[in-house]
Amino acid sequence: MSQSNPLSILNEYYGYDAFRGSQEEIIEHVIGGGDAFVLMPTGSGKSLCYQIPAMCREGVAIVVSPLIALMQDQISALEVMNIKAAAINSTMSAAEVSATSELARAGKLDMLYVAPERLLMPDFLRLLDQCNLALFAIDEAHCVSQWGHDFRPDYAALSLLADRFPQVPRIALTATADAPTRKDIVERLALKSGRTFVSGFDRPNIHYSIALRNSPRKQVWKFIQDKHPNDAGIIYCISRKKVEEMAAWLCEQGVDARPYHAGLSSEVRAENQRQFLQGEQVVMVATIAFGMGIDKPDVRFVVHMNIPKNIEAYYQETGRAGRDGLPSNALMIYGMEDAAMQRQWIDNSDAPMEQKQIQHQKLGALLGLCETANCRRQVLLNYFDDDCSPCNYCDNCEEPPETFDASIPAQKAISCVYRTGEMFGVSYLIDVLRGESNDRIANFRHDQISTYGIGTDLSKPEWQNIYRQLVASNLLAPTPEGHGGLQITDNGRIFLKEKPNLPMRHHQKTLTTERLKQSIGKRPASLASPTDQALYENLKSTRGEMAKTQKVPAYLIFHDKTLIELAVQKPSSLEAMLNINGIGETKLERYGKPLLDVIMRHDQSA
Ligand code: ADP
Ligand code: ZN
């Protein structure tokens, strides 16, 4: 198809009446043949920025996407709207590949999805030579850069597109990239002469909350019960074992929880993912193997049971909540041992030294986010060179942590590291500071040193807090051996010499359930009245039935947001339903009538 009017495509196929943010500008630019680098947060509508030009320009658009497993979801979403999309990948038979290739050659596809490793194969490049190409869209473009948090060598090789197809516009898109990563993407994909579109990074509908871990199950359970008893969400755990345990435990509590990790067979994984996508109340308990490219719009919460790798990963993972714009929660529960584990992973990886340093720096920034007394959103946005005023929608804004000048205890804590030879871990150091007597201390004769017993004024947890924040602010760092020992950094030595003020967050008595309750965002927007609420529930169940018979996820039919609008507006004809956001002509034809009937019945009974 080549239709020329982006707005009418938006209306007819997608059912939206206006473009958001810079969508329109990007679309016009690409339709005009320009290259573009697009940096927009998750859920802000990046896909339309290449899908609409794909429909407007002659020929087939090649969409490069990292995970084969998820292409089908994207294609299904397009097919529901009657847009012609297909994929070529390694799960297909030779006959299927050649049939799809033929469609592409014949100009019968708007979009062809492909993973980078496939795109680079000689056969595929030959196919491209035979097609009329509308554009290249490179999704998850941060994978191109070694500065990014998810570098993939196959992606880096995409630099050949510019040389081989100079006349075909390229649009690269990502939701997460810090400044060096952005620069690198633009260079590698030769987008310099194109335009860069960066829109605000904020996800205003996501509430951020970060708490120390005390009793993880209790903390999670309280959170689910209070905020999300009937919602879909993702819980990230650090290991396969933890995933299994948590999923089993939640099931015992009556939650429809499913595990997902690389150790499960691909059938089980696919089935659990399908349940999660199609269900409205399934909780996915997963390692980070899960989530890339998942664009289920009604994920209401994302929980991290441990710290993630870095801020990019955290923002991407939490960004999977609330793509539909409705209020959603991100909760992280962390302990100091998480940081030690992450550091060890970095050190034990076979990445080159330079990569390891980058990873350590990124981890440090994440710890800073955990320990900050400032607005979480501010810290997050600053990290991406974006800005905001205190948000009033995060735990620290809602209940500002108190700070105190920790200069003196910090000096004691660092001196103790120094006096014991920069090799011991936190619990030993605290024993020395607090003047405990045990065999180890006696053996090392650390009861003879000047820092022995100078810290009896603070409790063990208070000292732990101080050490944690000293690590977070990079005055102390783990020793390279990775046994949990601490050493003094250059900054730490400067601090010992200059002894400046050092504001620190008070020791958080690990969140009481009461505080947890207060510090987490409200339930998603409620409908104006109980009868609207009842109508909404009815619409949902009718949508559920249609989804079941057609074997597609409910949200592909209509988003919750669309149902809420229907319940509030109560349109009285199919025509009037077109005014509702998310209802275009194709979908109206396919799904409009049953929902209209529900509204009519409701009106009669009301
Ligand atoms: P991203 O890829 O940036 O994470 P998507 O392209 O998946 O975001 O879009 C997120 C959601 O917003 C989708 O449900 C999409 O249909 C919706 N959306 C996109 N553009 C608009 C628009 N102009 N008006 C209303 N909704 C939109
Ligand atoms: Zn805030």
Side-chain angles (χ1 to χ4, degrees):
M1 159 189 11
S2 72
Q3 267 174 308
S4 49
N5 186 344
L7 187 60
S8 65
I9 294 181
L10 184 74
N11 298 154
E12 283 168 32
Y13 288 86
Y14 295 85
Y16 300 133
D17 28 86
F19 284 109
R20 278 187 193 156
S22 42
Q23 277 178 332
E24 188 166 22
E25 218 185 328
I26 298 168
I27 289 168
E28 293 290 352
H29 176 72
V30 176
I31 291 175
D35 297 330
F37 173 47
V38 174
L39 191 63
M40 295 193 336
T42 313
S44 56
K46 278 188 295 303
S47 333
L48 294 193
C49 296
Y50 64 82
Q51 289 172 354
I52 292 185
M55 288 190 270
C56 290
R57 284 179 62 90
E58 289 289 341
V60 56
I62 306 299
V63 184
V64 184
S65 170
L67 285 186
I68 293 169
L70 301 163
M71 286 177 189
Q72 196 46 50
D73 295 337
Q74 291 165 353
I75 292 167
S76 306
L78 292 166
E79 280 173 343
V80 169
M81 294 185 283
N82 214 7
I83 297 172
K84 294 181 180 50
I88 288 188
N89 62 46
S90 54
T91 66
M92 298 161 61
S93 69
E96 288 170 322
V97 170
S98 92
T100 305
S101 304
E102 196 38 50
L103 288 177
R105 269 191 289 265
K108 293 195 174 141
L109 288 179
D110 290 317
M111 276 165 260
L112 179 59
Y113 282 74
V114 63
E117 58 273 17
R118 164 71 59 155
L119 189 147
L120 298 167
M121 290 179 183
D123 274 357
F124 195 87
L125 290 170
R126 256 195 306 281
L127 169 65
L128 293 185
D129 288 333
Q130 298 159 354
C131 291
N132 186 8
L133 297 175
L135 57 95
F136 289 104
I138 297 132
D139 207 1
E140 311 287 355
H142 55 273
C143 299
V144 165
S145 168
Q146 66 150 338
W147 300 99
H149 61 290
D150 202 8
F151 175 53
R152 291 164 190 238
D154 283 327
Y155 255 83
L158 293 175
S159 53
L160 70 76
L161 295 178
D163 298 331
R164 199 165 160 143
F165 306 98
Q167 74 294 356
V168 181
R170 296 179 305 284
I171 169 170
L173 312 101
T174 176
T176 37
D178 59 8
T181 310
R182 290 177 209 179
K183 195 162 156 273
D184 201 27
I185 294 171
V186 168
E187 273 164 24
R188 287 193 189 238
L189 295 178
L191 297 169
K192 264 210 187 103
S193 57
R195 282 184 61 187
T196 291
F197 298 87
V198 179
S199 58
F201 261 85
D202 193 14
R203 295 290 309 280
N205 60 316
I206 300 183
H207 180 280
Y208 297 96
S209 188
I210 301 180
L212 275 175
R213 190 165 52 231
N214 53 356
S215 59
R217 283 184 180 172
K218 226 192 232 158
Q219 285 170 292
V220 168
W221 183 237
K222 193 76 191 146
F223 169 74
I224 291 180
Q225 267 188 322
D226 285 350
K227 304 295 165 194
H228 300 288
N230 301 311
D231 290 331
I234 305 173
I235 300 181
Y236 283 111
C237 299
I238 195 115
S239 64
R240 298 173 185 186
K241 184 160 164 270
K242 294 272 180 208
V243 165
E244 294 286 351
E245 288 170 1
M246 176 61 78
W249 184 78
L250 283 172
C251 285
E252 279 168 31
Q253 314 308 307
V255 176
D256 186 0
R258 318 261 163 157
Y260 191 106
H261 57 70
L264 294 168
S265 72
S266 56
E267 293 81 49
V268 173
R269 264 180 314 181
E271 172 59 14
N272 287 351
Q273 177 168 318
R274 200 181 62 80
Q275 293 290 346
F276 175 71
L277 290 176
Q278 302 206 349
E280 291 171 45
Q281 307 185 351
V282 177
V283 174
M284 191 63 117
V285 185
T287 60
I288 49 166
F290 177 75
M292 166 95 82
I294 291 284
D295 57 4
K296 183 175 167 62
D298 56 351
V299 176
R300 291 272 71 85
F301 66 92
V302 172
V303 175
H304 283 87
M305 299 301 297
N306 302 83
I307 60 168
K309 260 185 8 201
N310 48 46
I311 290 184
E312 285 98 329
Y314 173 71
Y315 210 56
Q316 193 170 47
E317 285 151 17
T318 54
R320 291 171 187 145
R323 292 168 82 108
D324 55 10
L326 295 175
S328 305
N329 281 300
L331 170 66
M332 190 208 300
I333 302 176
Y334 77 104
M336 195 190 185
E337 58 281 16
D338 296 353
M341 199 183 298
Q342 292 279 2
R343 290 204 194 274
Q344 217 163 326
W345 281 344
I346 297 171
D347 289 332
N348 295 344
S349 76
D350 350 300
M353 204 49 215
E354 193 195 20
Q355 272 286 313
K356 287 188 183 177
Q357 273 164 3
I358 295 172
Q359 298 310 329
H360 277 301
Q361 273 170 13
K362 286 183 187 274
L363 178 59
L366 177 74
L367 290 173
L369 169 71
C370 296
E371 301 288 352
T372 187
N374 300 326
C375 170
R376 308 275 187 201
R377 198 176 306 273
Q378 267 182 333
V379 174
L380 284 167
L381 294 185
N382 283 342
Y383 183 80
F384 294 112
D385 277 346
D386 199 352
D387 207 3
C388 73
S389 34
C391 74
N392 289 323
Y393 198 53
C394 72
D395 53 353
N396 283 355
C397 279
E398 286 166 352
E399 199 175 339
E402 284 170 37
T403 58
F404 67 106
D405 179 17
S407 186
I408 302 280
Q411 288 166 38
K412 291 181 183 173
I414 300 175
S415 304
C416 191
V417 173
Y418 179 71
R419 297 281 166 204
T420 52
E422 301 192 46
M423 57 199 281
F424 289 93
V426 172
S427 60
Y428 183 83
L429 293 165
I430 293 176
D431 284 347
V432 174
L433 281 170
R434 290 176 43 82
E436 310 280 347
S437 37
N438 61 39
D439 291 351
R440 217 162 157 223
I441 291 178
N443 284 345
F444 284 106
R445 313 192 61 146
H446 286 154
D447 44 6
Q448 310 292 316
I449 60 178
S450 62
T451 53
Y452 181 74
I454 59 170
T456 48
D457 52 333
L458 297 181
S459 69
K460 249 184 204 185
E462 283 168 323
W463 278 117
Q464 276 164 352
N465 170 52
I466 294 200
Y467 274 112
R468 188 161 47 233
Q469 295 197 49
L470 289 173
V471 173
S473 43
N474 196 27
L475 299 180
L476 293 176
T479 55
E481 292 79 33
H483 302 312
L486 288 178
Q487 63 185 19
I488 304 171
T489 63
D490 291 346
N491 286 343
R493 287 178 214 287
I494 295 171
F495 171 82
L496 278 188
K497 221 182 283 155
E498 298 180 356
K499 307 185 172 60
N501 277 357
L502 187 66
M504 261 195 196
R505 190 176 175 143
H506 269 294
H507 170 57
Q508 285 175 283
K509 298 214 178 39
T510 31
L511 282 196
T512 58
T513 39
E514 204 36 48
R515 195 184 143 183
L516 188 69
K517 205 168 172 178
Q518 292 162 0
S519 71
I520 286 164
K522 308 284 174 298
R523 292 268 303 149
S526 55
L527 290 135
S529 71
T531 64
D532 289 355
Q533 179 74 41
L535 174 55
Y536 173 61
E537 298 299 338
N538 290 339
L539 289 169
K540 256 178 124 167
S541 76
T542 302
R543 176 184 66 177
E545 285 157 22
M546 291 193 280
K548 227 180 233 149
T549 41
Q550 310 203 4
K551 298 201 168 59
V552 293
Y555 64 79
L556 274 192
I557 295 182
F558 289 121
H559 286 183
D560 291 354
K561 226 179 172 172
T562 301
L563 296 191
I564 291 177
E565 243 188 279
L566 280 173
V568 174
Q569 306 278 345
K570 305 184 192 57
S572 54
S573 66
L574 286 172
E575 207 154 65
M577 285 174 86
L578 277 177
N579 294 328
I580 304 288
N581 258 305
I583 306 189
E585 275 160 28
T586 313
K587 285 199 183 179
L588 182 71
E589 214 168 280
R590 292 190 186 173
Y591 313 114
K593 187 70 174 50
L595 294 178
L596 183 64
D597 290 345
V598 172
I599 298 171
M600 292 321 223
R601 274 203 302 278
H602 173 85
D603 266 5
Q604 283 159 9
S605 65

